[in-house]
Amino acid sequence: MRDELHEAIENAYAVFPEMKWRGRNATVCICCVSELNARDLAKTQRRELDPDLISEYLGSAHHVDEGSAAQEVRHFLPRIFELVAIGEETSLSGNECALIRLGKGSLGWGDETYRDVWNKREVEAVDRFLRALWRDVLDETPELFERPETREILFSDHRAEETLCMVAKAGGDVAGLLALWDEDMTFAAALHVANLVSNAIARSWRPAALLEEGTLGNPHWEDQPAAMKLIVDWLAHPAQCKRLLDAFMQAPQNSQESVALAEAYDELERLLVMRWSGATTGA
């Protein structure tokens, strides 16, 4: 973990106070969370909360206007940040849903997000963490493997896409993260672009090329069409093709990285041609 990310987490612990439970259990849906887990959520020191308990909390179908639930969001948030940063799964639905309590919807703030309802210091603490996490994600070179059945070169996980989706669901600044990605011209950052494209390319088990349809590979984008369009439009730009080509020239010849970069470059170039053709024909 980079120092910047560690400091952002510690800042969140300082900004968001611990709950004074006074013998109460955590506010949860009694159909979703057992009384024992509701008690343990309140009694366990928040720095010691494990991913399973946090997952119980995030899976609870309660609203932020129930009792002290709004303050409990703040109580649990730094620990959620910490677990996400070290790669722990904090939600049964995946870390894309780790920050759903910050966003719109029935499990968040209705028609608003944390940016609308929290004070400036709290909002900046969240945004500071998201920026630091994003830089940490881009700094980590994604791993690849060869699928024996098809000989396709694939990425082992899709952490950059998962992080962008998590931020979108939280109501965070996705455009700001894309701008940070544009500034990061490292080989690892280029591989993350290839990773994002790779997850939306036509495969033997998924014949449709999702990018052609203006969509991405992660199913959690379903309720975030505006953020998904923003990212697809960001990908469909000559600058991303150049980034992939430059990284391809740096990659060892015939390596898995070179194959993934070349494949992603070809897909983006094809997408650009399709969009250009559609624009010139008035489609």
Side-chain angles (χ1 to χ4, degrees), residues 141-142 144 153 187 191 248 251-252 255-262:
T141 303
L144 296 121
I153 302 300
F187 184 78
L191 265 184
F248 172 79
S255 63
Q256 292 182 338
E257 290 81 3
S258 69
V259 173
L261 288 161

Side-chain angles (χ1 to χ4, degrees), residues 188-205:
L191 265 184
H192 281 293
V193 175
N195 191 335
L196 191 61
V197 175
S198 174
N199 202 31
I201 287 177
R203 300 291 184 187
S204 56
W205 62 90

Side-chain angles (χ1 to χ4, degrees), residues 145-213:
F145 70 98
E146 182 177 305
R147 191 167 188 253
E149 299 88 343
T150 60
R151 307 297 299 275
E152 292 166 301
I153 302 300
L154 302 171
F155 287 89
S156 299
D157 56 42
H158 309 283
R159 195 173 175 212
E161 184 173 359
E162 290 169 1
T163 303
L164 287 174
C165 192
M166 178 186 73
V167 173
K169 286 180 175 294
D173 183 12
V174 174
L177 299 192
L178 295 179
L180 290 177
W181 205 348
D182 280 331
E183 295 171 6
D184 189 340
M185 300 309 295
T186 62
F187 184 78
L191 265 184
H192 281 293
V193 175
N195 191 335
L196 191 61
V197 175
S198 174
N199 202 31
I201 287 177
R203 300 291 184 187
S204 56
W205 62 90
R206 185 187 60 214
L210 300 178
L211 281 178
E212 287 184 20
E213 304 167 358

Side-chain angles (χ1 to χ4, degrees), residues 15 25 33 48-49 67 78 87 97 109 169 173 182 232 240 258 262:
V15 169
N25 290 347
V33 181
E48 297 175 7
L49 287 164
C97 298
W109 300 89
K169 286 180 175 294
D173 183 12
D182 280 331
V232 172
Q240 302 309 327
S258 69

Side-chain angles (χ1 to χ4, degrees), residues 103 126 160 185 189 275:
V126 175
M185 300 309 295
R275 289 195 168 199

